[in-house]
Amino acid sequence: MNGDENPELWAFLASLHPGEILSGTVAAIERFGVFVALDDGPDHPVFPGVGFITIPELSWRRIDAASDVVRVGQRVSCEFLQFDDWNGEARLSLRAMQPDPFAVFAEGVTVGRALHGQVTKVVPFGVFVRVADGIEGLIHLRELTELPVETAEGILQVGDELMVVIAEVDLERRRLALSPARRP
């Protein structure tokens, strides 16, 4: 697709600036993202909408499907990220319209603070523990046991509750390192 085929669409997309807020209606939900029919600007010649939100840009939280966040016909306001000149669409972010829950959490905690948590996932290199709504941290395998083991399976299970201590907060990478709280 190029500007010669649809000059009105190209002119509209070229007029947008990163950070600009665009409103529209969710036109279609696909497994790879959401099409948004924008209030301003032309229709898209091929897609259900000129605006497009990728799955990671829908929410700060991990989601299984776009339908967990939006529904067809829903009104949305999104931040314009960039002009996708391959598809002739405006890439949008719905999550940019809400505060990052990780940043909010990080402002209120310090390294060394003990928190109550629940195991949400067991992976070969450790376990993920939810310590607040939408906030998970990793306890690395080496923190779980002094015994030489290859995997975290069998040490803790999904649903187990435990006290943890914040070992590191990496705001830039949005990562939280945890250690199990040692009992005296």
Side-chain angles (χ1 to χ4, degrees), residues 11-72:
F12 169 72
L13 292 170
S15 75
L16 300 174
H17 304 285
E20 189 173 341
I21 306 303
L22 302 175
S23 295
T25 304
V26 174
I29 297 174
E30 303 290 344
R31 62 176 177 70
F32 50 87
V34 174
F35 289 100
V36 178
L38 298 174
D39 294 343
D40 299 323
D43 289 335
H44 197 283
V46 178
F47 303 131
V50 169
F52 186 76
I53 310 168
T54 61
I55 299 295
E57 289 298 332
L58 283 169
S59 175
W60 288 107
R61 299 186 185 335
R62 279 186 225 168
I63 58 171
D64 294 323
S67 57
D68 293 344
V69 180
V70 294
R71 67 185 187 291
V72 172

Side-chain angles (χ1 to χ4, degrees), residues 113-115 139 143 162-165 178-184:
R113 180 171 172 196
L115 299 168
I139 301 177
E143 296 282 333
L162 70 161
M163 290 300 292
V164 296
V165 174
L178 303 171
S179 294
R182 307 279 183 226
R183 292 193 173 94

